[in-house]
């Protein structure tokens, strides 16, 4: 196990390092002068010279890269060119919206998909199963941003039950904050629910066909007891794996959902940064998201190897 | 001495031969619904090359936000443009972006996957680590990087999707190809002195083509969704090129006045993606009927 862990950890470190190099190259080296990227080609020479000096862009690219990475090890991401505040501070503020959104979506998706998946499997090839599979097929085809717009039309424009967008901040009261996140959370949860429902259903069906379940039933165990005692415990392993991998999808999905509902989260921050050509923010937020994806994959690999010894032996 | 069969079996794309495949395909309800939906999308795109009810880009302010009528079946948008014509022309964008992105990803990804499976060892390790690195960047992050560096545009959206697809195809093909390399007819071909390249193209690739076709269909559906999302966010297709995602983005400002204009482009995306997903699922069932029984 320790050899497997060491190999996976090394691979994880190489991937994060590679990701940082790619981000730096794509933003600061390949497009040419970052000062021109930020100010535009029509900017006066004096302004370009000033920003070069201010952001240290007159130094060689390699030195700037090393400085960036060294700063990250000290928890520093530099100053936002537009907001003139540390990028870590900006991200910290915005995570107050992004994190509850991502966690809420995962919780809703997990609860709904487990219930629907188990229901569909226990009603295999009956109308309930077809209904759930139809929902799942539709959920995969509906773009989440369109689903968000439809929810806004129904719950904000027609029924006036919930706000159409924006976030008042947690200082304005927990309930007001939660109210503004209800539609975004359900929007974000749709696609995840569709995928996890399918996985839950097929996993429960597969385990239910195993010999040990048949033996348990033959020994007189009721359907319900076999389901809860034997099937679910084993069927949930692949569901949790997929759920883990979907965390990365949720985190990057918030980039879209926050724009649909005008939520001041990290997703809104990065698209504003693109419009304002604030490369310092773009660079660090992209690395943060890429690192989250890699960390989640790493954790899922480890958990999966703990559960299934064949994985670590083959590796 | 027992004679070793050195001829590869018929590619595993169609149990029962082409006519058996066609017969089962025609009886597969979901697959046929998928074909009809996708066929309609392609027809819309093709017809829009030569004819649309109105110009999809012509601004007629006097006709703005009109409800559906005989002259404008789906109504008009905030600039008085005919929504049906825009949706027909938007189908072109979705298909072109999807096709190029899938082709880019498939050509590079299939080559890398085949190479990794044929060489194994450090070549495979390097390719898989590069694939891990690629997977660290979901489509939206690649698009953000390209847009921040080079500005928004359809080319960047295609590149982002194409780059993302490389690792998807590489992983899928590597897995399928490794399984083929362990089959007896491949071992026999190797014993007969055939080289890696000859075995890869003569025996392995023809036998995993169904895996590639199914993946291409699913990737095409994902590409349509992703293109719409990127255009919605302003980092994909740019005006005046018609795009379903941008139509949705523009319609959002008017949902209190005319909510219906946000419905049509979304429906177009859903039906297209649903069609491709149904084809993908159907192909998987048709190619491997055991999967259909398990589902």
């Amino acid at each position: 196990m320790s050899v497997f862990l060491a190999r996976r950890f090394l691979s994880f470190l190489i991937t994060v390092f590679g990701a940082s190099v790619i981000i730096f190259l794509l933003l600061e080296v390949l497009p040419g002068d970052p000062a021109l990227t930020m100010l535009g080609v029509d900017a006066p020479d004096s302004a370009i010279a000033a920003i070069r000096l201010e952001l240290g862009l007159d130094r060689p690219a390699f030195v700037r890269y090393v400085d960036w990475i060294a700063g990250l090890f000290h928890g520093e991401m530099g100053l936002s060119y537009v907001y003139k505040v540390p990028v870590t501070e900006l991200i910290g503020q915005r995570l107050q919206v992004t994190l509850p959104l991502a966690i809420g979506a995962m919780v809703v998706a997990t609860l709904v998909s487990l219930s629907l998946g188990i229901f569909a499997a226990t009603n295999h090839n009956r109308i309930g199963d077809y209904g759930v599979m139809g929902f799942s097929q539709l959920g995969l085809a509906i773009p989440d941003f369109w689903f968000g717009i439809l929810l806004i039309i129904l719950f904000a424009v027609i029924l006036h039950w919930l706000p159409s967008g924006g976030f008042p901040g947690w200082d304005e009261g927990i309930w007001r904050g939660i109210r503004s996140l209800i539609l975004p959370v359900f929007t974000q949860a749709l696609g995840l629910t569709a995928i996890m429902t399918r996985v839950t259903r097929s996993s429960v069906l597969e385990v239910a066909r195993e010999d040990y379940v048949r033996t348990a039933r033959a020994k007189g165990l009721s359907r319900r007891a076999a389901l809860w005692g034997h099937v679910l415990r084993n069927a949930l392993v692949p569901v949790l794996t997929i759920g883990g991998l979907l965390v990365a999808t949720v985190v990057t999905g918030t980039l879209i959902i926050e724009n649909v509902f005008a939520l001041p989260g990290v997703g809104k921050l990065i698209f504003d940064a693109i419009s304002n050509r604030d490369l310092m923010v773009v660079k660090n937020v992209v690395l943060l998201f890429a690192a989250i994806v890699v960390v989640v994959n790493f954790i899922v690999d480890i958990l999966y190897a703990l559960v299934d010894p064949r994985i670590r032996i083959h590796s | 001495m027992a004679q070793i069969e050195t001829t590869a079996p018929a590619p595993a794309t169609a149990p029962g031969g082409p006519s058996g495949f066609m017969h089962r395909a025609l009886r597969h309800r979901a697959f046929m619904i998928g074909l009809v939906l996708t066929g309609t999308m392609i027809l819309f795109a093709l017809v829009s090359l030569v004819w649309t009810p109105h110009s999809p880009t012509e601004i007629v302010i006097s006709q703005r936000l009109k409800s559906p009528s005989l002259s404008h079946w789906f109504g008009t948008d905030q600039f008085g443009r005919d929504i049906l014509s825009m949706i027909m022309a938007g189908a072109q964008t979705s298909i072109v972006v999807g096709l190029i992105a899938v082709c880019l990803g498939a050509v590079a990804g299939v080559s890398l996957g085949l190479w990794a499976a044929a060489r194994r060892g450090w070549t495979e390790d390097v390719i898989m680590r590069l694939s891990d690195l690629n997977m660290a960047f979901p489509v939206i992050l690649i698009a953000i990087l390209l847009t921040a560096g080079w500005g928004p545009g359809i080319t960047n959206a295609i590149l982002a999707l194409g780059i993302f697809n490389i690792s998807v195809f590489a992983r899928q093909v590597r897995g399928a190809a490794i399984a083929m390399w362990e089959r007896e007819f491949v071992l026999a071909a190797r014993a007969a002195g055939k080289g890696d390249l000859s075995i890869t193209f003569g025996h392995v690739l023809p036998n995993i083509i169904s895996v590639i076709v199914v993946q291409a269909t699913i990737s095409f559906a994902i590409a349509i969704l992703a293109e719409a999302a990127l255009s919605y966010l302003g980092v994909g297709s740019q005006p005046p090129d018609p795009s379903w995602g941008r139509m949705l983005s523009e319609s959002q400002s008017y949902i209190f006045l005319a909510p219906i204009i946000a419905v049509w482009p979304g429906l177009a995306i859903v039906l297209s993606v649903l069609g491709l997903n149904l084809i993908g699922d159907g192909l998987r069932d048709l190619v491997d009927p055991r999967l259909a029984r398990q589902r």
Side-chain angles (χ1 to χ4, degrees):
Chain A
M1 184 67 187
S2 54
V3 175
F4 171 80
L5 266 177
R7 278 182 66 118
R8 292 306 298 154
F9 188 66
L10 184 67
S11 166
F12 158 78
L13 287 181
I14 292 172
T15 310
V16 175
F17 167 70
S20 70
V21 172
I22 288 176
I23 292 167
F24 187 80
L25 285 176
L26 282 177
L27 290 179
E28 294 207 14
V29 180
L30 296 181
D33 189 346
L36 283 178
T37 309
M38 287 172 148
L39 298 180
V41 283
D42 300 328
D45 290 346
S46 56
I48 290 173
I51 196 172
R52 272 205 194 111
L53 199 64
E54 184 187 337
L55 301 178
L57 297 174
D58 47 347
R59 294 170 305 153
F62 176 73
V63 176
R64 298 203 310 270
Y65 173 78
V66 172
D67 271 2
W68 176 42
I69 298 300
L72 289 178
F73 277 108
H74 294 100
E76 290 165 11
M77 292 179 167
L79 278 184
S80 155
Y81 170 64
V82 174
Y83 299 99
K84 307 287 181 200
V85 291
V87 177
T88 41
E89 196 179 301
L90 275 177
I91 293 177
Q93 288 166 359
R94 304 302 182 102
L95 280 176
Q96 293 178 16
V97 179
T98 303
L99 272 184
L101 171 59
I103 293 169
M106 272 317 282
V107 171
V108 169
T110 307
L111 292 178
V112 177
S113 60
L114 286 182
S115 315
L116 286 180
I118 294 168
F119 172 77
T122 49
N123 290 280
H124 189 214
N125 281 341
R126 280 187 253 168
I127 190 153
D129 184 25
Y130 296 137
V132 170
M133 289 309 282
F135 157 79
S136 157
Q137 193 67 264
L138 260 183
L140 288 175
I142 293 178
D144 44 12
F145 54 95
W146 184 58
F147 185 58
I149 295 173
L150 292 184
L151 290 184
I152 293 173
I153 292 175
L154 180 63
F155 291 102
V157 179
I158 298 174
L159 298 172
H160 301 288
W161 288 357
L162 292 163
S164 61
F167 184 77
W170 295 112
D171 302 340
E172 298 290 315
I174 300 277
W175 171 237
R176 285 195 65 191
I178 290 176
R179 252 185 112 230
S180 341
L181 289 180
I182 292 176
L183 291 185
V185 161
F186 277 87
T187 303
Q188 172 97 68
L190 175 76
L192 306 172
T193 308
I195 298 172
M196 286 173 70
T197 299
R198 283 182 148 214
V199 176
T200 307
R201 175 186 171 275
S202 52
S203 182
V204 170
L205 282 177
E206 204 175 312
V207 176
R209 290 191 193 107
E210 294 284 346
D211 288 342
Y212 62 86
V213 177
R214 231 176 273 161
T215 310
R217 290 277 286 135
K219 285 169 77 177
L221 208 64
S222 70
R223 256 176 85 89
R224 182 181 291 266
L227 176 73
W228 291 101
H230 296 277
V231 176
L232 285 185
R233 187 186 294 177
N234 295 297
L236 287 184
V237 174
V239 179
L240 290 179
T241 310
I242 294 288
L245 291 173
L246 285 177
V247 170
T249 312
V250 177
V251 173
T252 49
T254 56
L255 298 175
I256 300 173
I257 304 302
E258 285 172 7
N259 281 278
V260 177
F261 292 94
L263 296 174
V266 182
K268 193 85 175 62
L269 174 71
I270 195 166
F271 281 99
D272 290 345
I274 290 177
S275 308
N276 297 325
R277 299 174 178 184
D278 195 345
L279 288 189
M280 198 60 89
V281 171
V282 176
K283 182 169 79 173
N284 287 295
V285 173
V286 171
L287 182 62
L288 174 73
F289 276 75
I292 291 173
V293 174
V294 180
V295 167
V296 168
N297 287 346
F298 173 67
I299 293 172
V300 170
D301 270 1
I302 301 297
L303 288 179
Y304 208 52
L306 282 174
V307 174
D308 189 345
R310 286 171 299 182
I311 305 276
R312 52 182 191 261
I313 290 166
H314 281 303
S315 298
Chain B
M1 200 171 99
Q3 195 178 351
I4 297 171
E5 182 58 66
T6 53
T7 336
T13 48
S19 60
F21 179 84
M22 284 297 289
H23 184 66
R24 282 182 296 115
L26 287 171
R27 287 172 51 194
H28 196 293
R29 203 181 302 160
F31 179 74
M32 292 311 292
I33 294 173
L35 270 188
V36 170
L37 290 174
T38 308
T40 309
M41 174 180 71
I42 294 171
L43 192 69
F44 261 43
L46 288 177
V47 171
S48 73
L49 288 172
V50 288
W51 177 83
T52 48
H54 298 267
S55 163
T57 51
E58 190 190 357
I59 294 173
V60 189
I61 294 298
S62 61
Q63 293 290 313
R64 68 194 296 267
L65 300 176
K66 292 281 181 201
S67 302
S69 64
L70 277 178
S71 59
H72 298 285
W73 286 12
F74 289 0
T76 59
D77 73 352
Q78 67 279 11
F79 296 118
R81 292 173 298 192
D82 181 55
I83 292 178
L84 175 60
S85 306
M86 290 170 77
I87 284 180
M88 288 174 72
Q92 283 177 38
T93 309
S94 291
I95 290 176
V96 168
V97 171
L99 269 183
I100 301 177
V102 170
C103 286
L104 273 176
V107 169
V110 170
S111 310
L112 288 171
L114 288 173
W115 191 21
R119 306 295 300 197
R120 305 300 300 262
W122 68 267
T123 309
E124 183 188 17
D125 273 350
V126 169
I127 290 174
M128 292 327 287
R129 293 300 73 81
L130 284 175
S131 166
D132 283 347
L133 184 56
N134 194 353
M135 297 291 263
F137 293 97
V139 174
I140 192 161
L141 289 190
I142 305 175
I144 284 171
L145 280 173
L146 295 178
T147 306
W150 284 275
I154 197 78
T155 315
N156 287 340
I158 293 172
L159 268 179
L161 281 159
I163 293 170
F164 174 76
N165 274 330
I166 293 175
S167 56
V168 174
F169 277 96
R171 280 167 179 257
Q172 192 83 19
V173 166
R174 172 187 158 269
I178 285 176
M180 276 304 143
W181 274 95
E182 284 161 7
R183 297 277 294 269
E184 280 180 3
F185 65 88
V186 172
L187 296 177
R190 181 172 266 183
K194 287 195 175 181
D196 284 353
L197 201 65
S198 163
I199 294 175
T200 296
F201 288 103
H203 300 280
V204 176
L205 184 59
N207 279 288
I208 61 166
I209 208 82
S210 59
V211 175
I212 298 169
V213 171
V214 172
Q215 186 55 54
T217 317
I218 295 165
S219 292
F220 196 178
I222 294 171
I224 289 180
L225 272 178
E227 186 279 324
L230 296 177
S231 297
Y232 173 83
L233 292 168
V235 295
S237 162
Q238 299 296 306
D241 294 336
S243 151
W244 294 339
R246 216 187 45 260
M247 285 174 76
L248 275 174
S249 159
E250 290 172 357
S251 70
Q252 204 177 340
S253 314
Y254 296 88
I255 52 174
F256 284 90
L257 275 174
I260 191 77
I261 63 172
V263 171
W264 303 118
L267 268 182
I269 299 170
V270 172
L271 294 177
S272 306
V273 175
L274 186 63
L276 286 162
N277 281 345
L278 289 175
I279 291 180
D281 284 355
L283 278 176
R284 211 163 14 201
D285 292 350
L286 293 167
V287 166
D288 188 352
R290 283 169 305 175
L291 283 177
R293 282 197 293 275
Q294 279 167 18
R295 288 202 290 149

